[in-house]
Amino acid sequence: MPAPVPVPPQRDVPAAETGPAAGHTADLTVLVIEDDPASGITGPELSAAAGTRVRIRTARNLTEAGRLLTDDVDCILLDLALPVPTAGTGAGTAAPFASGGGDHRPEPAPHRAEELAVLTHVLRIAPLHAVLVLTAQDDTELAAEAVRVGAQDYLFRGELDARVLSRAIRYAVERKRADIAQHQLTESGLRAQENARLERGLLPTPLLEGSDLSFAARYRPGRSRALLGGDFYDTVRTPDGTVHAMIGDVCGHGPDEAALGVELRIAWRALTLAGLCGDRLLSTLQQVLEHERQSEEVFATLCTVDIAPDGRRAGLCLAGHPAPLLARHGRPARLLPYEDGGPALGLLPHARWPRRQVKLGGEWSLMMYTDGLIEGRVGAGSSQRLGQDGMVAMVNSRLEQGLAGEELLEAAVTEVRELNGGELTDDVAVLLLGRDPERIRRRGRSAPRPGPASTAPASASAQRPPL
């Protein structure tokens, strides 16, 4: 029989009462698993050697260890000579792996599997705890295999003293913490990459091939560490030359709202390409919303515009959504009329959404946005919100500085965030369409003449917007 591990004998008092005096909290708690405890190094000795208080719990078998293994245990000192658990003893039921460093442990070498059965069991029931193994001094190969399988370190029975043991415990605890942190960081990175690929794939690519209009967009979700929120938008050009644009907002925040926003955007694109417009399109989208939403309280606001092929006029439909902002050449930006708007989608059955004709002119910029842009506060801790009037004044000041396109949107979103005193809590989506006759003429003069088998290049960006 191997020499007993030098630990205090088992006491007939609860483990929580061992260690420092009442009123003090132990800095380290060590669970010793050994079937023949004998007197040896004590908690006070370890505390003196470690420079901090150490509390010791002892268990004679794995069943007893399972009862003493609580979240406040920092390190497990395991004797590899402990008898292997057998079926029916109550010690063979493994707890599932917990997140944070316990998954996908390497299996022991076949010729070492039986000798390390106790260790593999402990690693299953305590995936987040540091484990120190004790072995015979002449069995270095077994000790190294134990570390490869998942133990933080090993000690030889014959070399134990308070100083060596306290240092090994400290090292094992810190190494386990580092292992868990690295594992969580790796998992978080992989999850972020997967989410980024998914959510970027769900952002729209504008279909504007053949259009003379410029396009820009900005998207900033309100959810922490998310790329996609409940706001959605899209832009497509139909075969007749009409450019259709849409922006919307699903009430609420989170992945369910984001998923519903994506469904509505895809449905809008399909219906638009199929020839629907105005009230017919919005009525059909309301049916989609009613079938796909999680509860009857969920609704969505929407703004759609259809710009005529000549770019000088548009049809506007509002479903409980803020009116777009129109800036004509040489004039201050102003909000388009919103008196004839209809209710948000999902609020009223059999609702109607009138389509209003709007004159755009020859040179213009049209900004569509969600309410996250106007509901930010003006000053940290202030109850005053920016509002539509504040947004119009802010955009006009940027236009006077000569900003346009991507620069205008970036400046607007940045200023709204700064006025709010930090990140905005609501999702923000902004879409900017524009028509510049001079730019169109310059591009027309410089564009190569298409040959019989060639096609004209797209005149609007087909890239997904930056976040």
Side-chain angles (χ1 to χ4, degrees):
M1 175 181 294
V5 180
V7 293
Q10 185 77 13
R11 298 172 54 192
D12 295 328
V13 294
E17 296 178 10
T18 66
H24 297 277
T25 302
D27 291 337
L28 281 175
T29 300
V30 180
L31 174 61
V32 179
I33 309 176
E34 210 280 329
D35 65 342
D36 188 18
S39 25
I41 297 173
T42 63
E45 287 180 274
L46 283 178
S47 298
T52 186
R53 291 173 293 184
V54 179
R55 179 172 62 183
I56 294 180
R57 300 177 184 174
T58 58
R60 290 185 175 88
N61 52 57
L62 294 177
T63 301
E64 193 173 325
R67 293 196 299 266
L68 297 176
L69 183 61
T70 54
D71 291 340
D72 62 329
V73 171
D74 298 288
C75 184
I76 298 172
L77 186 61
L78 174 67
D79 186 6
L80 291 181
L82 196 70
V84 178
T86 58
T89 63
T93 302
F97 284 127
S99 175
D103 305 76
H104 310 299
R105 298 187 187 279
E107 292 294 328
H111 67 287
R112 292 291 188 180
E114 185 175 350
E115 295 173 284
L116 294 176
V118 173
L119 173 61
T120 54
H121 176 83
V122 169
L123 293 175
R124 285 198 301 268
I125 67 173
L128 302 181
H129 292 77
V131 178
L132 270 173
V133 296
L134 291 168
T135 186
Q137 190 156 355
D138 59 350
D139 209 344
T140 305
E141 182 183 344
L142 178 63
E145 181 70 5
V147 173
R148 189 190 70 83
V149 169
Q152 272 59 62
D153 204 351
Y154 64 87
L155 293 170
F156 296 126
R157 297 188 190 93
E159 295 182 349
L160 283 182
D161 59 40
R163 182 182 60 84
V164 172
L165 183 56
S166 64
R167 184 174 60 187
I169 290 171
R170 278 290 188 189
Y171 171 79
V173 170
E174 293 305 319
R175 180 176 177 183
K176 184 62 178 181
R177 289 173 179 167
D179 289 346
I180 290 175
Q182 181 61 43
H183 181 84
Q184 292 174 338
L185 182 63
T186 301
E187 279 194 340
S188 176
L190 292 174
R191 190 160 47 247
Q193 291 175 15
E194 292 174 357
N195 290 342
R197 285 194 296 268
L198 173 63
E199 294 183 320
R200 287 187 186 279
L202 294 176
L203 289 174
T205 299
L207 300 180
L208 293 174
E209 184 176 356
S211 172
D212 290 327
L213 303 184
S214 61
F215 169 87
R218 279 291 182 276
Y219 201 106
R220 185 183 294 272
R223 289 187 294 139
S224 174
R225 290 187 291 183
L227 291 175
L228 196 63
D231 293 1
F232 55 99
Y233 64 89
D234 206 349
T235 310
V236 299
R237 180 177 183 266
T238 47
D240 65 354
T242 301
V243 171
H244 303 260
M246 168 273 292
I247 195 165
D249 183 3
V250 178
C251 70
H253 307 279
D256 291 337
E257 289 74 16
L260 182 56
V262 171
E263 291 182 83
L264 292 174
R265 180 186 69 77
I266 294 174
W268 176 88
R269 174 174 285 199
L271 294 170
T272 300
L273 293 175
L276 272 68
C277 186
D279 183 73
R280 287 180 60 206
L281 187 149
L282 292 176
S283 297
T284 308
L285 282 180
Q286 174 157 283
Q287 295 179 40
V288 173
L289 171 68
E290 291 170 346
H291 283 91
E292 298 297 331
R293 62 186 175 183
Q294 297 292 322
S295 69
E296 294 185 357
E297 287 74 28
V298 175
F299 63 90
T301 66
L302 198 70
C303 169
T304 69
V305 296
D306 52 278
I307 302 170
D310 63 4
R312 294 179 172 274
R313 62 189 186 281
L316 170 66
C317 287
L318 295 175
H321 199 88
L325 187 67
L326 176 65
R328 293 193 180 103
H329 178 64
R331 301 182 188 178
R334 64 177 180 83
L335 294 172
L336 291 180
Y338 53 86
E339 293 84 1
D340 296 334
L345 303 181
L347 288 184
L348 299 176
H350 313 296
R352 288 292 175 263
W353 294 271
R355 178 175 173 273
R356 181 166 188 158
Q357 283 287 342
V358 177
K359 292 183 179 180
L360 300 176
E363 183 177 349
W364 49 266
S365 293
L366 182 68
M367 190 175 86
M368 305 165 69
Y369 54 93
T370 56
D371 57 9
L373 188 69
I374 59 178
E375 290 187 349
R377 302 187 184 278
V378 182
S382 171
S383 60
Q384 181 182 355
R385 298 187 183 275
L386 178 64
Q388 287 181 295
D389 292 340
M391 179 198 66
V392 172
M394 176 188 67
V395 171
N396 277 324
S397 68
R398 297 297 182 178
L399 289 173
E400 291 174 359
Q401 297 172 10
L403 298 184
E406 298 280 357
E407 292 182 345
L408 174 62
L409 294 190
E410 182 64 29
V413 174
T414 299
E415 183 171 351
V416 168
R417 179 182 175 279
E418 291 174 351
L419 289 172
N420 191 61
E423 288 294 343
L424 300 165
T425 57
D426 198 4
D427 305 327
V428 176
V430 192
L431 176 66
L432 187 68
L433 292 170
R435 185 175 188 272
D436 182 351
E438 180 59 30
R439 183 177 62 87
I440 295 172
R441 285 192 294 270
R442 289 197 306 268
R443 188 171 59 243
R445 288 194 299 265
S446 61
R449 295 181 180 180
S454 65
T455 57
S459 57
S461 171
Q463 301 297 317
R464 291 190 179 93
L467 296 174

